[in-house]
Amino acid sequence: MRNNITALNHPTMQRKLRNAIWFAKMEAKQNGHGREYIENRSGDAVMRVDVFADGSLRVWGDQSRNITQMVVDSIEANKYANR
């Protein structure tokens, strides 16, 4: 999967992103660092979400690219959609 804004705006991907961020935050509260992987339908990891104890977020996409800002923009744009 190519990480682009169209793919990130899909309702299924939005749900996966929100869940991964939430689980990583819970893990970070306990361990100081939380890490979750987002998988595609085939079970291949397509993104890695890291949350640190200070609340900072990092999202790594295909080819180990930092796509944090693209993910944050996507979540903000779809804040009230699909609820």
Side-chain angles (χ1 to χ4, degrees):
M1 177 189 116
R2 289 288 174 193
N3 301 122
N4 56 41
I5 198 68
T6 303
L8 293 175
N9 284 336
H10 192 276
T12 302
M13 185 54 70
Q14 285 288 305
R15 186 183 75 245
K16 288 180 178 184
L17 283 168
R18 290 177 194 276
N19 287 339
I21 292 169
W22 187 80
F23 283 120
K25 279 184 182 180
M26 295 298 111
E27 187 178 344
K29 284 184 180 182
Q30 293 178 348
N31 303 331
H33 178 249
R35 177 176 289 162
E36 290 291 321
Y37 292 92
I38 296 177
E39 298 177 347
N40 60 10
R41 275 187 263 172
S42 303
D44 301 323
V46 293
M47 280 186 251
R48 185 179 88 194
V49 177
D50 291 320
V51 177
F52 300 95
D54 63 355
S56 61
L57 170 73
R58 295 286 177 269
V59 183
W60 304 96
D62 59 340
Q63 301 171 355
S64 299
R65 291 185 316 149
N66 185 347
I67 59 170
T68 305
Q69 192 58 49
M70 193 182 335
V71 168
V72 170
D73 293 343
S74 171
I75 289 174
E76 285 297 317
N78 293 292
K79 197 173 199 175
Y80 300 109
N82 306 317
R83 290 196 173 212

